[in-house]
Amino acid sequence: MNFTRADFPEDFLFGVATSAYQIEGQSFGGAGPCHWDSFAATPGNVVRAENGARACDHYHRWEEDLDLVAGAHLDVYRFSTNWSRVMPEGRGTPNAEGLDFYDRLVDGLLARGIKPAATLYHWELPQPLADMGGWRNADMPNWFADFTEVVMRRIGDRVWSAAPINEPWCVSWLSHFLGHHAPGLRDIRATARAMHLLLVSHGRSIQAMRALGMKNLGCVFNMEYSEPADASDAARKAAHLYDGYYNRFFLSGVFRGEYPEEVLEGLGPHLPTGWQDDFDTIRAPLDWCGINYYTRKLMAPDAGPWPAHKEVEGPLPKTAMGWEIYPEGLEFFLRRTHEEYTSGLPIYVTENGLAAPDVVTDGVVEDPHRIAYLDSHLGAVRRAIAAGVPVAGYIAWSLMDNFEWSYGYEKRFGLVHVDFDSLKRTPKASYHALSAALSR
Ligand code: IFM
């Protein structure tokens, strides 16, 4: 790696992230069925119809995994709490084993000197709630606030930070408009309702945590840099709209109490009645903003109904996901978020990383592409800091290879390789490089 801790502000934090369904093993510890189980069981949704039933068996191997976090000299571990593990029915009686698991995990982190950064929802919607319409149901903010309270009454006294929902764009647009993630809908009305109700749920969750006396609460938004595919006015508009519903909708809702005009043109008629009255809740004050960043898209106009645009393949080198590598986009988002939305709040890069077809050869995994990717994006972070943006930390995705949603176990994002037959963990060259950089 081209950096040491000395290249960053003294209190800058480094970490890694994971999420519950992607690593824990849904079949262990009394977790109930979630909508990813049924989505994955439907032919054509997930590569080889793989699912999270066993995943990395982190449920049983968490101590070994936390040792890996500590071994890389990292400061923060970002994990998520599985709603269907904690409350298998989504509401009502909690599963004691589930709460015990997160209790042990948090204590295990603290014992290793690592800051626990909790995200309440990283996509395991309990099936009973999905059966009632999931994020389209106007009762979701109440149920999510209850879930928040159950989890945080148990671990809220010891987590270092907490955020309600990972990547609202993925939970809403990707899952209800494009149908690529559970529940696999392609419906504009469902999308609009989910986008708004997710933000109301976010606000209710923040309020519930404040009521418990918790501090250091934030949000985690994924952002994709959007550029016109050519110099035409139509391509410029297409890129602006993509940026609107992907990036600015959520930022603007939470930090300004309004939605972008051009997005309302398409989604406005489908928003829940009285949506304009929800911004006091949505704007519940935050202590930080998290940005998950991976790539950019080139956009062009297309025939058909709103949003009437399409992605065009770009010329830059790509990761195994087919995503262009564009660190400048991260610098752009850090600057814009600070200048136009969060004005002074600490910003964290809460996810960033690349997938590659990594293999173990004689016990070693060489992944120079990942080292270069992390280096170039940390360069973007340094440029943003030099420009005055209060970037307070960088969290890489991911600690280890895991269930990459509709791609099954095919795409490897980990700093640590996982053999999905034996479940053996092998730290990759990028893990060793990061560890060395952070120990200097
Ligand atoms: O694996 C996902 C994660 O669950 C959310 N952010 C993007 C990652 C890579 O696709």
Side-chain angles (χ1 to χ4, degrees):
M1 299 275 178
N2 285 330
F3 71 93
T4 67
R5 282 189 185 269
D7 296 314
F8 289 84
E10 211 180 323
D11 48 1
F12 190 87
L13 299 171
F14 289 89
V16 280
T18 61
S19 93
Y21 191 83
Q22 293 182 271
I23 63 168
E24 286 176 355
Q26 189 73 6
S27 57
F28 309 126
C34 78
H35 70 167
W36 263 97
D37 299 321
S38 44
F39 183 75
T42 311
N45 282 344
V46 176
V47 170
R48 294 181 291 267
E50 289 167 342
N51 59 42
R54 186 174 76 142
C56 305
D57 190 17
H58 171 73
Y59 185 79
H60 296 108
R61 297 166 195 245
W62 62 272
E63 295 206 73
E64 175 188 352
D65 295 337
L66 299 195
D67 287 344
L68 285 165
V69 180
H73 305 284
L74 293 158
D75 311 300
V76 177
Y77 177 62
R78 178 172 174 253
F79 67 100
S80 71
T81 52
N82 181 337
W83 193 343
S84 59
R85 177 179 300 292
V86 171
M87 297 171 94
E89 294 296 321
R91 300 175 291 172
T93 316
N95 165 32
E97 272 183 89
L99 284 171
D100 289 350
F101 174 69
Y102 296 113
D103 199 54
R104 286 196 297 275
L105 190 75
V106 168
D107 281 346
L109 286 164
L110 294 174
R112 289 166 178 79
I114 302 161
K115 296 181 185 340
T119 303
L120 279 148
Y121 182 74
H122 199 128
W123 312 350
E124 309 82 9
L125 188 65
Q127 192 60 52
L129 300 187
D131 292 343
M132 289 189 284
W135 291 106
R136 285 170 290 165
N137 190 318
D139 281 329
M140 279 297 279
N142 299 328
W143 299 333
F144 190 61
D146 291 346
F147 163 61
T148 301
E149 207 177 316
V150 167
V151 172
M152 291 308 173
R153 272 195 191 285
R154 187 64 181 270
I155 61 171
D157 57 336
R158 281 157 294 142
V159 294
W160 166 75
S161 74
I165 292 162
N166 183 66
E167 301 184 347
W169 180 86
C170 289
V171 183
S172 52
W173 194 277
L174 188 66
S175 310
H176 295 76
F177 193 81
L178 300 178
H180 295 173
H181 278 192
L185 295 178
R186 299 195 61 218
D187 184 297
I188 194 167
R189 190 168 184 82
T191 307
R193 288 183 67 87
M195 285 169 87
H196 181 71
L197 291 170
L198 273 162
L199 288 187
V200 182
S201 302
H202 155 89
R204 290 288 306 281
S205 173
I206 293 288
Q207 289 168 347
M209 291 191 279
R210 292 277 182 225
L212 291 173
M214 289 178 63
K215 298 193 168 63
N216 207 18
L217 309 180
C219 56
V220 176
F221 298 151
N222 56 317
M223 298 189 192
E224 221 169 75
Y225 189 73
S226 168
E227 268 195 71
D230 58 46
S232 68
D233 200 39
R236 189 190 53 73
K237 273 197 187 127
H240 185 64
L241 177 56
Y242 187 79
D243 180 48
Y245 66 72
Y246 201 119
N247 306 310
R248 285 179 285 111
F249 182 89
F250 302 101
L251 271 175
S252 187
V254 164
F255 292 104
R256 290 187 180 169
E258 62 187 22
Y259 293 144
E261 266 314 306
E262 73 279 10
V263 181
L264 286 176
E265 241 173 70
L267 297 186
H270 304 291
L271 286 169
T273 316
W275 61 271
Q276 295 93 337
D277 303 330
D278 289 330
F279 286 110
D280 281 350
T281 306
I282 292 174
R283 291 186 79 178
L286 298 178
D287 303 310
W288 54 269
C289 175
I291 297 178
N292 293 358
Y293 176 80
Y294 291 89
T295 189
R296 74 160 185 179
K297 286 279 156 54
L298 298 185
M299 301 303 299
D302 199 9
W306 189 93
H309 62 194
K310 62 179 179 200
E311 296 172 19
V312 174
E313 192 176 335
L316 301 177
K318 299 188 180 64
T319 73
M321 297 293 280
W323 296 347
E324 283 191 303
I325 301 175
Y326 189 65
E328 295 80 0
L330 178 58
E331 183 182 351
F332 168 83
F333 282 125
L334 292 169
R335 293 175 77 131
R336 182 173 80 174
T337 303
H338 167 62
E339 284 158 18
E340 297 183 24
Y341 296 93
T342 54
S343 48
L345 281 188
I347 299 178
Y348 293 89
V349 177
T350 31
E351 281 185 28
N352 176 239
L354 120 165
D358 304 315
V359 288
V360 184
T361 309
D362 299 329
V364 172
V365 183
E366 295 295 355
D367 59 345
H369 33 272
R370 185 168 290 101
I371 295 176
Y373 184 98
L374 297 181
D375 254 339
S376 61
H377 287 77
L378 278 161
V381 170
R382 285 208 296 277
R383 291 195 296 278
I385 293 173
V389 182
V391 192
Y394 173 91
I395 300 179
W397 183 267
S398 176
L399 169 63
M400 57 189 166
D401 298 338
N402 57 47
F403 177 71
E404 179 51 31
W405 307 112
S406 53
Y407 295 92
Y409 293 94
E410 204 171 77
K411 307 292 183 196
R412 295 177 176 275
F413 274 91
L415 295 171
V416 174
H417 180 277
V418 177
D419 177 320
F420 290 110
D421 292 322
S422 66
L423 294 182
K424 183 175 166 23
R425 278 75 161 139
T426 307
K428 302 178 189 177
S430 56
Y431 171 95
H432 294 300
L434 185 62
S435 174
L438 297 182
S439 66
R440 276 182 272 150

